[in-house]
Amino acid sequence: MDDYQKEIADLEAQVEQLVEEEGDARTIAELSMQLEVLKAIYACATDLLQRALADESLRYGLRIQGYGDWTIDNVYAFVYERSVELEPKAHRAFVGGIKTTDFALMLNS
């Protein structure tokens, strides 16, 4: 389990505990939205990480954009930073935007 998976699991546990304790609905909603975003970013980062096994240009693209070697930390940082740059929208649209963005294309641009 890497640090990102641990962060996601910890946040999931926190949300579950708040739900069980009938905690503040607003806090639960905010943490749930944060969890969705983190899961979407992690899914895109791990997908991109795997895609580079067959495409050296992705690894090169990451390096020339200043993110360094092809590691989960560097790929996650790239996906996270590019996600933040996506056009601000409502939460559901933002998460959908992360999920549908072609981060590999951004590396080759």
Side-chain angles (χ1 to χ4, degrees), residues 54-74:
D55 189 348
E56 173 68 33
S57 68
L58 296 176
R59 291 176 278 197
Y60 176 74
L62 191 74
R63 279 192 309 276
I64 65 168
Q65 290 192 34
Y67 289 90
D69 293 330
W70 196 257
T71 65
I72 184 62
D73 291 333
N74 295 341

Side-chain angles (χ1 to χ4, degrees), residues 43-94:
C44 289
T46 54
D47 176 64
L48 187 57
L49 195 68
Q50 291 301 310
R51 289 173 66 184
L53 296 175
D55 189 348
E56 173 68 33
S57 68
L58 296 176
R59 291 176 278 197
Y60 176 74
L62 191 74
R63 279 192 309 276
I64 65 168
Q65 290 192 34
Y67 289 90
D69 293 330
W70 196 257
T71 65
I72 184 62
D73 291 333
N74 295 341
V75 173
Y76 187 94
F78 169 77
V79 172
Y80 178 87
E81 290 177 13
R82 291 303 182 269
S83 295
V84 171
E85 294 171 357
L86 294 175
E87 187 175 323
K89 301 175 183 174
H91 172 73
R92 184 71 47 206
F94 178 65

Side-chain angles (χ1 to χ4, degrees), residues 1-10 42 72-73 76:
M1 177 179 284
D2 61 40
D3 291 340
Y4 306 105
Q5 290 171 313
K6 181 169 177 7
E7 180 181 11
I8 289 169
D10 290 347
Y42 185 76
I72 184 62
D73 291 333
Y76 187 94

